Amino acid sequence: MPDRRQPDSPTDDNPFAAPPEGRPDQPWQPRSGGDGGNGDGNGPGDSGGQRGPARWDPTDPIQRRARYALLAGMWGFFFGIFGIPSVGLLLGALALYWGISALRGKPAAAAGEPGAPTGLDALGPAARPQRTAAVSGLVTASLAILLAMSSYALQLAYKDFYVCRDDALTKSAELQCNTLLPDNVVGEVLKVRQ
């Protein structure tokens, strides 16, 4: 089409673009490892003919556990923040387990070879995002467990206040429970408001 503008850059790598003027049409061919283009192992996402570092393989249990650790830790932290410590503790414990098993696990291919790298190191360049996910899952899991344990510790330390507040039938009886709290920051946070 003569009225259509051609891209300015001669290195445009669009396989769907029209051929430059003066060059005949060529039939489409899939890119392969040795044909040049991005298939030669030098393109973005390729590292010497291997998969790129950001490739997500859902069949690999190590990568799955790293992602599960991140998601469970994040949701456990949110449940801890929003006052559901039992769910936060459960998700935090699962995230801790998945994060540690992702960092220490052996891939199926290298399980039988002695001296083969273990854990995420066996993935080579693809290990970086998975290691980040596993470590982030461990951090958020630790925070979720810390929030849940501190919530349970507060309920245990100020059990009289919580029992009084839960048993109060009127607002004035509930306000009387504030006398069971200490005069510090914790007392101000837990205090029943009017």
Side-chain angles (χ1 to χ4, degrees), residues 10-98:
T11 61
D12 189 32
D13 198 20
N14 185 356
F16 302 107
E21 296 224 6
R23 179 187 250 182
D25 286 341
Q26 297 176 349
W28 180 84
Q29 295 178 351
R31 295 181 183 170
S32 63
D35 276 353
N38 282 345
D40 61 356
N42 296 327
D46 275 342
S47 56
Q50 299 175 358
R51 290 188 295 195
R55 180 76 176 172
W56 161 240
D57 183 12
T59 61
D60 186 8
I62 293 174
Q63 293 184 31
R64 253 195 339 256
R65 287 178 186 154
R67 297 291 170 106
Y68 289 166
L70 178 62
L71 288 172
M74 180 180 59
W75 279 106
F77 178 71
F78 287 144
F79 278 113
I81 290 273
F82 294 125
I84 309 172
S86 56
V87 178
L89 183 63
L90 172 69
L91 288 173
L94 281 172
L96 204 62
Y97 168 73
W98 282 325

Side-chain angles (χ1 to χ4, degrees), residues 31-191:
R31 295 181 183 170
S32 63
D35 276 353
N38 282 345
D40 61 356
N42 296 327
D46 275 342
S47 56
Q50 299 175 358
R51 290 188 295 195
R55 180 76 176 172
W56 161 240
D57 183 12
T59 61
D60 186 8
I62 293 174
Q63 293 184 31
R64 253 195 339 256
R65 287 178 186 154
R67 297 291 170 106
Y68 289 166
L70 178 62
L71 288 172
M74 180 180 59
W75 279 106
F77 178 71
F78 287 144
F79 278 113
I81 290 273
F82 294 125
I84 309 172
S86 56
V87 178
L89 183 63
L90 172 69
L91 288 173
L94 281 172
L96 204 62
Y97 168 73
W98 282 325
I100 291 171
S101 66
L103 291 173
R104 296 185 64 202
K106 295 182 180 182
E113 302 172 10
T118 61
L120 289 173
D121 293 334
L123 294 176
R128 185 168 179 235
Q130 308 315 321
R131 183 176 291 113
T132 303
V135 170
S136 300
L138 288 174
V139 169
T140 54
S142 301
L143 290 173
I145 290 172
L146 183 68
L147 282 172
M149 289 301 172
S150 63
S151 173
Y152 288 136
L154 275 176
Q155 289 177 17
L156 192 61
Y158 301 111
K159 183 178 181 182
D160 295 337
F161 167 74
Y162 282 105
V163 169
C164 176
R165 190 189 67 180
D166 291 341
D167 290 345
L169 298 176
T170 63
K171 188 67 173 178
S172 60
E174 193 175 1
L175 287 171
Q176 288 295 324
C177 297
N178 288 341
T179 59
L180 298 171
L181 290 172
D183 292 331
N184 59 17
V185 178
V186 174
E188 286 297 316
V189 169
L190 296 178
K191 183 166 77 170

